[in-house]
């Protein structure tokens, strides 16, 4: 059999640009490797599993469509769906265009992401199209999801002094799995899979469940990328089956009486509970490969940075109230993201193409900095290509494929005009762009606290952001603060002030409270918070100070 490759793509926020660069280089390298190999050649490499979370989930969905419905665009390093969506189109000015009535839902505009998704994961793929040289004719796709409603599991009990006939648990970690199949006729079908329990064997297996579509898969992927608070959670209608039978929108509507959303579940960033979807890939691979030789199976993990274990909060430190509180919150968050599969030894092992904090510009400010400028995203995309190229050249992936650098498209700098200027200079080559931009990716350490100072990194980076963009960011943040104050007052505080027992005296008292809040409380709060925000914006956004020591 051919060599099968399962790819897991982690969450990355704006560093989806880095992951896209990695994936472009890998797809093209596999295409070149497969070029002169027949379909029956056991050296042929085929991607048959793609999973992802958050930004990785969106990329996984995009890859699934364009690998099985390749219209030729994936071969161009700087005009392909990955580059266009993650480098050219995702921009802070578009993301900040949130109408006032929608500012209570998110800080950034989810509609901007929806438009990009519809453009690069259309309901009907462009014709004509063929199977991409790196793809198997059938690809299993897995998207990690976070269900904010949760869905319950009831464990029946026979006897209880509390007169209860069950013990209830709520699950929030969710997923969507489908198989995309390209038929001999060129038609492409999508089938959602459910995780079923075979009672006779007491084992779980993935089984075909229901026909799905590109539009549904796209909605699932976008929901997985809805970073908490930054983007609005997405309401999605789900049909329960198998081990996820209780996660059913019809049941949600009937049993729980969910009328407002008609039973739809709210989904946020899939990386909350499963940011590295190697386990989901393993689950799909185990069933696919159960009767095949595992020596022809490979895993590839793509992420901006290496996954590291949490630090021990009590190492050489007293377990006082403060450190204990930090330890408790850290343990809760860490345990929610722990994966049981990590206690097992994966056979075959996992290959990875990751980076470090000191290489990626988009890593600044919790991985949101890439949204600030196209040149930052283009830089990270090229670093992704370079990192993949280095891994392919140093021999770590020689068991998977033969890499011929001479046949690969060169790494270039394609950001032109004013957008491509760096430090006021017009840049035409990647070497020059890399030299000028790489200092902005360096980590700044606070010498007193002995820890990373991301605020200083942001100040340093803001010097390279367009002046008009900086002023628009400041304007939008001020607008968000103004709306937030009004929202809290109107939706929560004013109703409390209006409460009274119906007596004349009580009504007068509530009226005075409303007047006091509207004429004194709200204006004073706005003045104070505006002052602090404008001071912060002046120092960090509008006129950031230059960092002399790096």
């Amino acid at each position: 059999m051919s060599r099968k490759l399962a790819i897991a793509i982690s969450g990355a926020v704006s560093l989806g640009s880095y992951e896209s660069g990695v994936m472009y280089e890998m797809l093209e390298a596999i295409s070149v490797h497969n070029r002169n190999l027949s379909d029956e050649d056991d050296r042929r490499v085929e991607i048959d599993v793609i999973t992802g979370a958050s930004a990785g989930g969106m990329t996984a969905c995009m890859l699934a469509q364009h690998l099985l419905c390749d219209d030729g665009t994936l071969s161009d390093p700087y005009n392909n769906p990955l580059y266009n969506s993650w480098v050219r189109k995702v921009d802070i000015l578009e993301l900040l265009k949130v109408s006032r009535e929608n500012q209570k839902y998110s800080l950034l505009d989810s509609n901007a992401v929806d438009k990009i998704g519809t453009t690069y994961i259309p309901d009907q793929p462009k014709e004509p199209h063929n199977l991409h040289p790196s793809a198997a004719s059938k690809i299993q796709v897995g998207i990690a999801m976070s269900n904010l409603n949760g869905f319950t599991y009831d464990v029946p009990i026979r006897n209880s002094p509390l007169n209860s006939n069950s013990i209830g648990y709520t699950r929030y970690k969710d997923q969507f799995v489908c198989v995309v199949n390209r038929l001999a006729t060129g038609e492409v079908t999508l089938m959602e899979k459910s995780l079923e329990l075979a009672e006779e064997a007491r084992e779980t297996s993935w089984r075909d469940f229901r026909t799905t579509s590109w539009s549904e898969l796209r909605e699932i992927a976008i929901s997985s990328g809805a970073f908490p608070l930054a983007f609005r959670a997405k309401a999605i209608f789900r049909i329960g089956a198998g081990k996820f039978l209780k996660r059913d929108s019809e049941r949600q509507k009937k049993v729980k009486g969910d009328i407002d959303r008609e039973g739809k579940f709210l989904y946020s960033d899939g990386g909350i509970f499963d940011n590295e979807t190697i386990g989901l890939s393993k689950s799909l691979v185990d069933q696919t490969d159960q009767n095949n030789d595992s020596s022809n199976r490979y895993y590839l993990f793509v992420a901006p940075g290496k996954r590291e274990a949490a630090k021990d909060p009590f190492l050489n430190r007293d377990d006082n109230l403060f450190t204990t509180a930090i330890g408790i919150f850290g343990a809760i968050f860490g345990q929610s993201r722990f994966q049981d599969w990590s206690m097992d030894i994966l056979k075959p092992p996992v290959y990875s193409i990751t980076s470090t904090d000191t290489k990626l510009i988009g890593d600044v400010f919790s991985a949101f900095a890439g949204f600030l400028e196209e040149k930052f995203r283009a830089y990270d995309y090229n670093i992704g290509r370079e990192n993949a190229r280095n891994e392919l050249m140093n021999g770590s992936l020689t068991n998977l494929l033969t890499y011929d650098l001479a046949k690969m498209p060169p790494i270039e700098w394609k950001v032109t005009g004013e957008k491509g200027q760096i430090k006021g200079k017009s840049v035409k080559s990647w070497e020059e762009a890399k030299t000028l931009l790489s200092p902005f990716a360096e980590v700044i350490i606070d010498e007193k606290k002995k820890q990373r100072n991301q605020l200083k990194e942001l100040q340093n980076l803001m010097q390279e952001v367009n002046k008009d963009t900086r002023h628009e960011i400041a304007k939008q943040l001020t607008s968000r603060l103004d709306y937030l104050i009004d929202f809290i007052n109107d939706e929560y505080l004013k109703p409390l002030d209006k409460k009274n027992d119906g007596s004349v005296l009580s009504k007068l008292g509530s009226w005075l409270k409303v007047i006091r809040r509207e004429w004194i409380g709200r204006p004073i709060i706005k003045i104070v918070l505006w002052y602090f925000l404008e001071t912060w914006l002046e120092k960090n956004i509008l006129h950031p100070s230059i960092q002399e020591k790096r």
Side-chain angles (χ1 to χ4, degrees), residues 333-402:
F333 178 75
Q335 185 60 41
S336 72
R337 298 183 68 177
F338 180 80
Q339 308 299 327
D340 289 338
W341 65 264
S342 61
M343 295 185 290
D344 304 326
I345 297 176
L346 283 180
K347 294 182 180 181
V350 179
Y351 294 100
S352 69
I353 301 178
T354 60
S355 188
T356 64
D357 294 340
T358 58
K359 277 195 171 183
L360 301 175
I361 293 178
D363 184 67
V364 176
F365 207 58
S366 300
F368 276 88
F371 293 138
L372 296 172
E373 290 278 348
E374 182 180 329
K375 59 191 172 188
F376 298 161
R377 302 187 294 275
Y379 172 88
D380 289 337
Y381 178 89
N382 276 351
I383 293 295
R385 287 193 65 190
E386 280 194 348
N387 283 6
R389 182 169 289 192
N390 291 337
E391 290 296 334
L392 289 163
M393 291 177 62
N394 68 18
S396 63
L397 295 173
T398 50
N399 291 334
L400 175 64
L401 58 84
T402 302

Side-chain angles (χ1 to χ4, degrees), residues 357-361 363-365 438-463 540 544-550:
D357 294 340
T358 58
K359 277 195 171 183
L360 301 175
I361 293 178
D363 184 67
V364 176
F365 207 58
S438 58
F440 294 105
E442 294 179 11
V443 171
I444 296 177
I445 301 298
D446 188 315
E447 295 299 333
K448 293 182 179 179
K449 297 181 179 179
K450 303 297 181 182
Q451 63 185 25
R452 183 177 180 181
N453 190 329
Q454 291 216 38
L455 186 59
K456 291 292 184 183
E457 292 173 8
L458 178 65
Q459 292 174 353
N460 192 61
L461 190 62
M462 275 294 171
Q463 299 168 61
N540 299 293
S545 57
I546 297 175
Q547 300 300 314
E548 297 180 355
K549 292 183 178 181
R550 300 195 53 77

Side-chain angles (χ1 to χ4, degrees), residues 59-335:
T59 299
C61 177
M62 199 181 310
L63 283 172
Q65 182 175 96
H66 291 278
L67 286 175
L68 288 167
C69 307
D70 178 28
D71 61 1
T73 58
L74 281 175
S75 61
D76 190 326
Y78 300 103
N79 186 22
N80 62 70
L82 297 174
Y83 184 86
N84 290 337
S85 58
W86 281 111
V87 177
R88 286 184 175 165
K89 296 296 183 180
V90 180
D91 188 78
I92 192 64
L93 293 179
E94 291 300 316
L95 293 174
L96 286 172
K97 292 179 180 178
V98 184
S99 60
R100 187 170 176 83
E101 63 270 17
N102 286 328
Q103 289 179 12
K104 64 181 179 181
Y105 297 116
S106 63
L107 297 173
L108 301 176
D109 185 18
S110 299
N111 291 326
V113 180
D114 290 341
K115 290 177 183 177
I116 295 172
T118 303
T119 301
Y120 295 105
I121 313 170
D123 294 349
Q124 295 295 330
K126 183 179 178 181
E127 295 279 4
H129 55 66
N130 298 293
L131 183 68
H132 190 269
S134 68
S137 61
K138 182 185 294 185
I139 296 179
Q140 296 186 88
V141 183
I143 307 296
M145 306 176 73
S146 297
N147 190 321
L148 300 185
N149 299 84
F151 45 99
T152 59
Y153 287 90
D154 298 316
V155 180
I157 54 177
R158 295 185 178 182
N159 181 35
S160 171
L162 300 177
N163 296 320
S164 174
N165 58 4
S166 66
I167 304 173
Y169 292 92
T170 303
R171 178 184 175 115
Y172 299 92
K173 181 180 176 181
D174 205 346
Q175 59 198 9
F176 184 90
V177 172
C178 73
V179 58
V180 188
N181 187 19
R182 184 184 177 92
L183 307 179
T185 60
E187 179 187 0
V188 176
T189 63
L190 290 87
M191 180 71 67
E192 183 180 357
K193 301 178 80 71
S194 66
L195 192 59
E196 305 283 345
L197 178 63
E199 293 292 341
E200 64 278 4
R202 302 302 298 173
E203 294 179 351
T204 57
S205 62
W206 293 100
R207 298 181 183 176
D208 290 347
F209 167 43
R210 56 181 282 270
T211 301
T212 183
S213 64
W214 288 119
S215 59
E216 183 174 22
L217 182 57
R218 180 181 66 241
E219 288 296 290
I220 296 291
I222 292 175
S223 78
S224 181
F227 192 89
L229 304 182
F231 297 102
R232 186 177 182 180
K234 212 164 189 58
I236 298 178
F237 191 92
R238 301 300 304 274
I239 299 176
K243 295 193 72 175
F244 290 81
L245 182 64
K246 296 293 183 72
R247 190 259 291 118
D248 187 270
S249 291
E250 287 294 344
R251 179 180 182 275
Q252 177 88 344
K253 182 168 59 176
K254 292 177 182 178
V255 177
K256 294 189 175 182
D258 187 354
I259 305 300
D260 290 345
R261 293 193 182 86
E262 298 183 336
K264 293 180 180 179
F265 292 91
L266 273 178
Y267 284 95
S268 188
D269 194 323
I272 295 174
F273 301 115
D274 189 9
N275 200 49
E276 296 83 24
T277 55
I278 303 173
L280 183 53
S281 292
K282 179 180 181 297
S283 176
L284 298 174
V285 163
D286 285 347
Q287 183 164 321
T288 304
D289 295 357
Q290 56 185 334
N291 297 319
N292 297 321
D293 182 4
S294 63
S295 64
N296 283 332
R297 165 60 63 186
Y298 298 83
Y299 289 95
L300 175 65
F301 175 54
V302 179
K306 180 183 176 183
R307 182 76 166 93
E308 296 181 347
K311 296 180 180 179
D312 183 350
F314 301 108
L315 184 63
N316 298 320
R317 297 183 67 182
D318 183 30
D319 57 329
N320 56 49
L321 291 174
F322 183 70
T323 55
T324 300
I326 293 175
I328 290 172
F329 286 115
I332 292 172
F333 178 75
Q335 185 60 41

